[in-house]
Amino acid sequence: MRIEIPATTPTRTITAVTSMLWEDLVNNPKKEGPGEQINKKKIQCAEKMIRGAFVELYRGLGLLKTYSSLNMVAFTKIIKKFDKVANQQASSSYLKMVKRSHFISSDKVVKLMDEVEFIFTKHFASNDRKKAMKFLRPQEHKESHMVTFFVGLFTGCFMTLFSVYAILAHMSEMLSPVTGTGYMETVYPVFSMFALLSLHLFMYGCNLFMWKRKRISYNFIFEFQPNTALKYRDAFLICTSLMSAVVGALVIHLILRSNGFSASQVDAIPGVLLLIFMAILICPFNIFYRSTRYCFIRVIRNIVFSPLYKVLMVDFFMADQLTSQIPLLRHMESTACYFLSGSLRTHQFNTCKSGKLYRELAYVISFAPYYWRAMQCGRRWVDEHDPNHLANLGKYVSAMVAAGARISYSTNPSTVWFITVLVTSLAATVYQLYWDFVKDWGLLNPKSHNLWLRDDLILKNKSIYYVSIVFNVVLRVAWVETVLNFRVGLVESRLLEFLLASLEVIRRGHWNFYRIENEHLNNVGKFRAVKTVPLPFRETDSDG
């Protein structure tokens, strides 16, 4: 028996390749004996995999036990209903027969659960049963009314501060065409970035609420731990507190500028806010949802280094979210350039936009989310050999081509580029819409008894699905604004840009519900209730 760790991460890939080369060139694995040296890191990885397998085995046994008792309860209720309707007394004889059946009377599942508990406690919890039960039976934290209170508090703060900001901006004429140029170049990128992020969090909170209400097992789909997974109230709390802080900073910024403070001093406020946000994100202390923050950082790492990491559901789901946040990434580029190039002091706003490096980075940032997603599809095709992943890769390649054409047209609005944008964007949109409806949502099935939907629907009102299809189509063609080339001022163009970016975030949040609904129904249809955990063992030949 040899330990074999799947190459799911770059470290494991390099370790596996190095180990194979070393064995082939030096150790000659055919002559390995019982004294084979095993890497300590391999043992740790193997231990982690075995622990995960025990947890899933215990969970599966628990589900089987629950299934048995649930069927017993259901049968009892059915028999009692039969006695009541038929005016008979047949329940006692039937129940005796059912209770004697092996499925109900057998205690094999209970014994297996006890055995798993004993082994897990002994080998993975240092004989500490309480510690072992935290792994085997993770409990969800009870939702606190304090979270609801703070959600309401921060919502009220946000609405009040936003009203104050609107009044101050109108009184100071900060958004007028004359004085608004500098303001929109310095303040708009940072605060719109936070606004888009908050909107995405709000949509995610709505998704969590609907998934929970419709009993969609999103924690199982994303492989989240029930005791640390984000709840919908938590998502709303993060969203409202973030927006309250952002709008509060906007109000302070306006007040200071109106009172005669120099622009170089006041315009540092957005940068300070960004630094505070980054500090909270990487804060090592167990505050501000540390498990969620670290999970987010880990997923972003997996996405950026695609295809080196094995692609999980949460990875490509998050990568899909990034494809809808390209404006946010562009604002991050503008903000970084503004603060790093010295424009904060000189207020020369064209320093970044006129630079060749800035324009090249604009292409890279517009391509990056689609590239990462395409690389994930490639990695999944290598791992699973499913041609659908190659077709999905083609979708993101078409999106990359369309995005590049639109950027080129924005800098060089010629007839050739206009036709190129029109053709590439139409092709990419049709490709994306087909994949949205047929593959991601599982709809447009002509053989379904629900007209052009699918056989299994979680929402009872079928018209919602038809409205959602139309809604997704309308928001998918928002790129038309880039070719219409409206003649508006700087302030209006920025606001229009923010509106379109917000609509794309809303579309993505709307898309998320049906995507996870379809995944949940696929899991139910294929009877997937526990994860399949590979074991780190490989049988060797008896003569080896």
Side-chain angles (χ1 to χ4, degrees):
M1 187 79 72
R2 295 178 57 202
I3 292 180
E4 185 174 85
I5 307 299
T8 55
T9 65
T11 305
R12 292 184 183 179
T13 303
I14 295 170
T15 302
V17 172
T18 306
S19 177
M20 288 171 58
L21 290 174
W22 180 257
E23 288 174 352
D24 289 340
L25 296 176
V26 180
N27 289 340
N28 191 3
K30 292 184 178 180
K31 296 182 180 180
E32 289 172 346
E36 177 188 0
Q37 296 294 322
I38 300 177
N39 189 295
K40 185 177 180 181
K41 197 165 187 178
K42 266 191 175 184
I43 296 177
Q44 292 175 347
C45 292
E47 182 181 349
K48 185 177 180 181
M49 293 173 69
I50 296 171
R51 184 173 67 238
F54 266 109
V55 171
E56 290 303 314
L57 174 61
Y58 189 83
R59 185 170 182 269
L61 291 171
L63 290 174
L64 184 59
K65 180 183 175 183
T66 304
Y67 179 73
S68 173
S69 60
L70 186 64
N71 274 270
M72 183 63 196
V73 172
F75 189 81
T76 303
K77 290 182 178 292
I78 291 171
I79 290 297
K80 287 183 178 180
K81 189 71 173 178
F82 173 78
D83 286 349
K84 184 178 180 181
V85 173
N87 197 19
Q88 296 184 13
Q89 299 295 327
S91 59
S92 57
S93 58
Y94 279 110
L95 285 175
K96 286 179 182 178
M97 187 182 301
V98 172
K99 288 179 179 179
R100 286 198 301 266
S101 66
H102 183 74
F103 185 70
I104 299 298
S105 61
S106 174
D107 61 347
K108 190 172 183 179
V109 173
V110 177
K111 289 181 178 179
L112 283 173
M113 291 181 71
D114 292 339
E115 188 176 352
V116 171
E117 286 182 15
F118 174 78
I119 296 173
F120 193 92
T121 303
K122 180 180 179 181
H123 296 284
F124 298 102
S126 303
N127 290 318
D128 186 347
R129 191 176 186 279
K130 186 176 180 181
K131 180 181 177 182
M133 288 299 103
K134 288 182 179 180
F135 286 96
L136 296 175
R137 296 180 187 172
Q139 300 293 326
E140 290 190 17
H141 289 303
K142 293 183 179 179
E143 296 182 354
S144 172
H145 292 295
M146 189 63 69
V147 176
T148 307
F149 168 76
F150 278 112
V151 169
L153 177 65
F154 284 122
T155 301
C157 291
F158 164 69
M159 295 176 67
T160 304
L161 289 170
F162 187 79
S163 301
V164 172
Y165 169 74
I167 295 171
L168 289 176
H170 177 72
M171 292 176 61
S172 61
E173 298 182 347
M174 195 58 67
L175 299 180
S176 64
V178 179
T179 60
T181 302
Y183 185 78
M184 297 303 289
E185 294 290 351
T186 57
V187 177
Y188 167 77
V190 178
F191 289 116
S192 63
M193 180 174 64
F194 282 112
L196 291 174
L197 179 61
S198 299
L199 179 60
H200 214 134
L201 280 169
F202 175 77
M203 295 303 299
Y204 182 62
C206 294
N207 290 148
L208 293 176
F209 174 76
M210 288 300 298
W211 291 333
K212 181 179 180 180
R213 187 174 182 181
K214 297 302 177 182
R215 303 177 69 86
I216 295 175
S217 55
Y218 60 91
N219 281 337
F220 171 71
I221 293 172
F222 291 131
E223 300 183 21
F224 289 158
Q225 294 296 326
N227 56 341
T228 58
L230 206 66
K231 312 294 191 301
Y232 71 90
R233 287 188 179 91
D234 299 321
F236 289 147
L237 176 61
I238 297 172
C239 166
T240 53
S241 59
L242 181 61
M243 280 310 299
S244 297
V246 169
V247 179
L250 276 171
V251 171
I252 294 172
H253 183 273
L254 270 181
I255 292 174
L256 293 178
R257 286 197 66 168
S258 301
N259 289 333
F261 283 83
S262 64
S264 59
Q265 293 175 328
V266 176
D267 290 345
I269 292 177
V272 172
L273 185 65
L274 186 60
L275 288 176
I276 293 174
F277 174 78
M278 295 300 296
I280 293 175
L281 182 63
I282 62 175
C283 177
F285 302 110
N286 193 14
I287 55 175
F288 302 124
Y289 303 101
R290 184 179 66 176
S291 58
T292 301
R293 290 187 284 110
Y294 279 20
C295 177
F296 173 76
I297 294 172
R298 184 169 60 251
V299 170
I300 293 297
R301 177 205 63 187
N302 295 352
I303 293 172
V304 172
F305 290 101
S306 299
L308 299 178
Y309 288 90
K310 183 178 180 179
V311 183
L312 303 177
M313 176 70 189
V314 67
D315 296 330
F316 65 78
F317 182 81
M318 179 61 74
D320 279 327
Q321 310 306 303
L322 291 180
T323 60
S324 295
Q325 285 287 15
I326 292 177
L328 184 148
L329 299 177
R330 293 287 302 275
H331 292 326
M332 289 179 64
E333 177 199 14
S334 302
T335 303
C337 181
Y338 176 73
F339 286 103
L340 296 178
S341 66
S343 298
L344 173 66
R345 296 185 300 272
T346 63
H347 277 67
Q348 298 295 324
F349 307 120
N350 292 326
T351 303
C352 293
K353 293 186 177 181
S354 60
K356 181 181 178 182
L357 179 61
Y358 181 88
R359 292 196 300 270
E360 291 175 349
L361 279 176
Y363 279 98
V364 172
I365 289 173
S366 299
F367 289 157
Y370 299 116
Y371 167 79
W372 292 329
R373 193 65 186 87
M375 290 299 100
Q376 287 180 335
C377 293
R379 174 61 189 259
R380 294 189 72 191
W381 176 74
V382 170
D383 291 341
E384 303 172 19
H385 306 290
D386 186 350
N388 282 323
H389 296 314
L390 287 181
N392 200 13
L393 186 149
K395 181 187 74 171
Y396 292 105
V397 171
S398 69
M400 289 170 62
V401 173
R406 286 197 290 269
I407 293 178
S408 299
Y409 176 72
S410 64
T411 57
N412 182 21
S414 62
T415 306
V416 175
W417 277 116
F418 175 79
I419 297 173
T420 305
V421 167
L422 206 59
V423 172
T424 56
S425 296
L426 276 174
T429 301
V430 172
Y431 205 156
Q432 290 166 348
L433 287 173
Y434 167 79
W435 205 269
D436 284 346
F437 299 142
V438 178
K439 299 295 184 179
D440 290 335
W441 293 5
L443 304 178
L444 300 185
N445 182 2
K447 298 180 181 179
S448 172
H449 61 260
N450 297 312
L451 183 62
W452 289 103
L453 298 178
R454 55 173 127 81
D455 291 337
D456 298 319
L457 301 174
I458 288 183
L459 300 179
K460 295 181 180 179
N461 191 346
K462 298 179 186 178
S463 61
I464 296 177
Y465 290 92
Y466 297 113
V467 172
S468 297
I469 290 174
V470 175
F471 182 76
N472 193 64
V473 170
V474 171
L475 294 187
R476 273 289 190 188
V477 296
W479 55 265
V480 173
E481 182 273 336
T482 60
V483 298
L484 292 179
N485 201 12
F486 293 117
R487 296 183 179 276
V488 293
L490 175 65
V491 176
E492 290 79 5
S493 66
R494 295 292 193 186
L495 294 177
L496 180 61
E497 178 185 301
F498 177 75
L499 174 63
L500 293 175
S502 300
L503 289 176
E504 172 58 23
V505 172
I506 293 171
R507 187 201 67 81
R508 179 59 64 181
H510 168 261
W511 177 92
N512 289 343
F513 174 80
Y514 297 102
R515 176 66 183 89
I516 302 303
E517 177 203 23
N518 189 39
E519 187 72 19
H520 172 78
L521 292 174
N522 287 336
N523 287 339
V524 172
K526 296 177 181 178
F527 305 103
R528 288 196 294 251
V530 293
K531 293 183 292 184
T532 302
V533 181
L535 292 175
F537 303 119
R538 177 165 59 89
E539 294 289 345
T540 57
D541 297 334
S542 58
D543 60 347

